[in-house]
């Protein structure tokens, strides 16, 4: 092969490589350089300042807990206590729809975050649905929870210092109301069952007392005492009747059957015997029982029910008092160690840092993509 032929073949072999290099440079400019320049211009000239305000607090319980959490000591995780559960509830509440709706009712949230003075990428569209606004709100708030110490921190971003302070103060108030509500519900749950039991025992005792009162209104204040009185009375009447009968027997031997004195004694004896039958109700001095035994059984049953109801009521009252003491220990409160303060300087956006990070991320992404393309091309060739 001559020297002239070699010089004509080498440029032809370099053409594909030069073409690939041109496409490589062009892709770098389009994928890395140009977006980095545009991002830098946005961060330095267009992006709106964001002020940050927040608070730090912990949900505490009045109940002392002397137990040692061995798992938490080794893992750094909180145990399954109620205060820890309440802390996670508060953490979820900070980014919930309920809090956002309360914030919209108490503060002109959409106007504050949808002002035309805010840059187009950071601005909220006031006409968006609540779900979209909730997604926007989740980007404007950062909440964290340390399970070891039980401390919750939240930071709110806003486009003016006053807005960030006002929103943070409202959120802290909402959280305090939530914790108070959780505490009240916990206390109510502890006391509710015992109060129901006290009401039931009180009703039972009232029914027992009313039953005894109704029983006494029927004329038997104390069936046992009444029975003894009635027995003594009947015994006296029967003794008198016996005397009448003895006198009648004596007179029958000495006078005629139609003698006035004998007729009078017989009439008195008959009247006394009828009176004895009316008052005894079937009870005689020999102790056979008819109506009185049933009264005694009913009265004793009512007395037993009254005694049991009194003891059960006293026990329910003692349980209620213990439950109220325990409910007092279940009380939660918000221990605030950092209150919202008016920010003096916008912390975001971090213009230089974001520009550098954007260029680095785009460069790394472009490099990985280029390596993948070349690997695939070499594999196919």
């Amino acid at each position: 092969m001559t020297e002239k032929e070699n010089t004509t073949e080498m440029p032809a072999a370099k053409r594909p490589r030069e073409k690939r290099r041109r496409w490589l440079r062009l892709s770098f400019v389009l994928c890395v350089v140009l977006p980095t320049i545009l991002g830098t211009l946005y961060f330095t000239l267009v992006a709106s300042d964001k002020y940050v305000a927040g608070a730090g607090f912990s949900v505490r319980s009045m109940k002392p807990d002397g137990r040692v959490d061995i798992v938490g000591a080794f893992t750094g995780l909180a145990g399954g206590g109620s205060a820890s559960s309440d802390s996670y509830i508060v953490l979820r509440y900070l980014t919930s729809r309920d809090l956002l709706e309360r914030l919209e009712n108490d503060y002109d949230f959409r106007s504050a975050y949808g002002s035309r003075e805010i840059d187009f990428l950071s601005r909220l569209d006031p006409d968006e649905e609540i779900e979209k606004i909730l997604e926007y709100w989740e980007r404007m708030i950062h909440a964290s929870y340390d399970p070891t110490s039980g401390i919750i921190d939240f930071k709110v971003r806003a486009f003016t210092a006053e807005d960030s302070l006002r929103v943070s103060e409202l959120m802290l108030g909402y959280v305090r109301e939530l914790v108070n509500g959780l505490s009240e519900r916990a206390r109510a749950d502890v006391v509710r069952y015992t109060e129901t039991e006290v009401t039931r025992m009180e009703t039972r005792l009232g029914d027992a007392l009313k039953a005894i009162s109704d029983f006494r209104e029927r004329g038997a204040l104390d069936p046992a005492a009444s029975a003894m009185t009635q027995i003594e009375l009947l015994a006296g009447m029967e003794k008198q009747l016996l005397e009448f009968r003895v006198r009648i027997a004596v007179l029958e031997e000495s006078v005629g059957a139609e003698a006035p004195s004998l007729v009078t004694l017989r009439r008195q004896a008959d009247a006394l015997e009828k009176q004895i039958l009316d008052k005894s109700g079937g009870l005689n001095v020999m102790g056979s029982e008819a109506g009185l035994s049933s009264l005694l059984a009913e009265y004793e049953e009512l007395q037993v029910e009254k005694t049991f109801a009194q003891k059960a009521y006293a026990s329910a009252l003692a349980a209620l008092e213990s439950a109220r003491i325990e409910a007092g220990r279940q009380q939660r409160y918000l221990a605030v160690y950092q209150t919202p303060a008016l920010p003096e300087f916008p912390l975001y956006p971090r213009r230089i840092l974001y520009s550098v990070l954007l260029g680095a991320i785009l460069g790394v992404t472009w490099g990985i993509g280029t390596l993948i393309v070349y690997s695939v091309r070499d594999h196919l060739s």
Side-chain angles (χ1 to χ4, degrees):
M1 183 179 294
T2 62
E3 183 178 355
K4 184 177 181 180
E5 290 176 345
N6 288 334
T7 56
T8 57
E9 289 179 359
M10 289 183 63
K14 289 182 179 180
R15 287 173 187 171
R17 284 181 291 179
E18 289 293 334
K19 187 176 181 180
R20 288 196 298 270
R21 289 172 182 173
R22 284 197 301 269
W23 279 108
L24 198 61
R25 287 191 293 267
L26 181 60
S27 65
F28 181 78
V29 171
L30 293 177
C31 296
V32 179
V33 177
L34 186 59
T36 301
I37 293 174
L38 294 176
T40 302
L41 293 176
Y42 168 76
F43 289 129
T44 55
L45 301 177
V46 180
S48 301
D49 292 334
K50 294 185 181 70
Y51 294 84
V52 178
F57 54 86
S58 177
V59 179
R60 299 296 183 185
S61 175
M62 298 293 292
K63 183 177 181 180
D65 190 3
R67 295 173 300 175
V68 178
D69 186 4
I70 300 177
V71 177
F74 283 98
T75 63
L77 300 177
S82 57
S84 176
S85 301
D86 292 343
S87 298
Y88 281 107
I89 292 175
V90 170
L91 189 66
R92 293 301 184 101
Y93 179 70
L94 290 172
T95 56
S96 67
R97 177 172 174 173
D98 292 338
L99 183 140
L100 180 60
E101 290 178 345
R102 289 195 62 182
L103 189 61
E104 286 187 319
N105 292 330
D106 298 339
Y107 189 70
D108 196 358
F109 176 82
R110 301 196 183 206
S111 297
Y113 285 85
S115 173
R116 291 295 178 181
E117 297 179 359
I118 302 173
D119 69 88
F120 64 97
L121 291 181
S122 303
R123 183 169 59 237
L124 171 67
D125 185 1
D127 299 327
E128 287 282 5
E129 298 82 2
I130 187 64
E131 290 79 10
K132 296 294 184 182
I133 296 178
L134 183 60
E135 292 178 0
Y136 178 86
W137 169 245
E138 291 175 351
R139 296 196 300 270
M140 292 293 106
I141 181 175
H142 174 73
S144 62
Y145 171 59
D146 183 5
T148 303
S149 60
I151 291 177
I152 298 176
D153 292 289
F154 72 86
K155 303 292 183 182
V156 177
R157 298 183 187 184
F159 299 97
T160 65
E162 292 76 13
D163 286 339
S164 63
L165 175 62
R166 180 56 180 160
V167 171
S168 299
E169 290 175 342
L170 288 173
M171 290 179 59
L172 186 60
Y174 298 156
V175 170
R176 183 176 282 109
E177 292 179 10
L178 176 66
V179 172
N180 292 338
L182 292 173
S183 176
E184 189 62 30
R185 283 194 292 273
R187 296 170 61 187
D189 290 340
V190 173
V191 177
R192 184 181 299 112
Y193 173 76
T194 52
E195 286 182 340
T196 303
E197 194 67 14
V198 168
T199 303
R200 190 171 70 87
M201 292 298 104
E202 187 176 3
T203 303
R204 183 174 183 177
L205 178 59
D207 293 340
L209 294 175
K210 186 177 184 303
I212 293 178
S213 177
D214 294 340
F215 182 83
R216 287 175 175 173
E217 286 179 359
R218 298 204 302 264
L221 296 178
D222 189 345
S226 299
M228 293 301 299
T229 303
Q230 188 174 3
I231 289 173
E232 292 175 358
L233 178 61
L234 291 176
M237 294 174 67
E238 289 199 359
K239 181 179 179 182
Q240 187 178 1
L241 178 62
L242 182 61
E243 291 176 355
F244 282 156
R245 286 176 178 173
V246 171
R247 291 173 61 185
I248 290 172
V250 173
L251 287 176
E252 284 180 347
E253 295 178 356
S254 60
V255 298
E258 300 297 331
S261 58
L262 184 60
V263 172
T264 301
L265 286 174
R266 284 175 178 171
R267 289 177 180 175
Q268 291 178 350
D270 292 339
L272 186 59
E273 185 176 3
K274 183 179 180 182
Q275 188 177 5
I276 290 173
L277 292 175
D278 292 339
K279 288 186 174 295
S280 66
L283 181 70
N284 56 28
V285 293
M286 299 303 293
S288 65
E289 299 179 355
L292 187 60
S293 61
S294 63
L295 289 177
L296 286 172
E298 182 181 357
Y299 184 73
E300 289 177 358
E301 182 179 352
L302 293 176
Q303 283 293 109
V304 170
E305 175 65 18
K306 173 188 171 183
T307 303
F308 181 81
Q310 287 176 335
K311 292 182 179 180
Y313 182 63
S315 177
L317 287 177
L320 178 60
E321 188 63 24
S322 300
R324 285 174 176 169
I325 295 174
E326 180 65 21
R329 296 175 180 174
Q330 295 290 338
Q331 183 176 358
R332 274 77 157 170
Y333 64 94
L334 203 65
V336 181
Y337 75 91
Q338 179 183 349
T339 57
L342 183 68
E344 298 181 356
F345 181 79
L347 296 181
Y348 299 96
R350 298 176 180 177
R351 307 180 189 278
I352 298 176
L353 177 62
Y354 288 174
S355 300
V356 173
L357 287 177
L358 177 62
I361 292 172
L362 291 174
V364 171
T365 304
W366 175 84
I368 294 174
T370 302
L371 291 176
I372 293 174
V373 171
Y374 272 90
S375 298
V376 172
R377 185 184 62 84
D378 293 341
H379 179 72
L380 294 176
S381 61

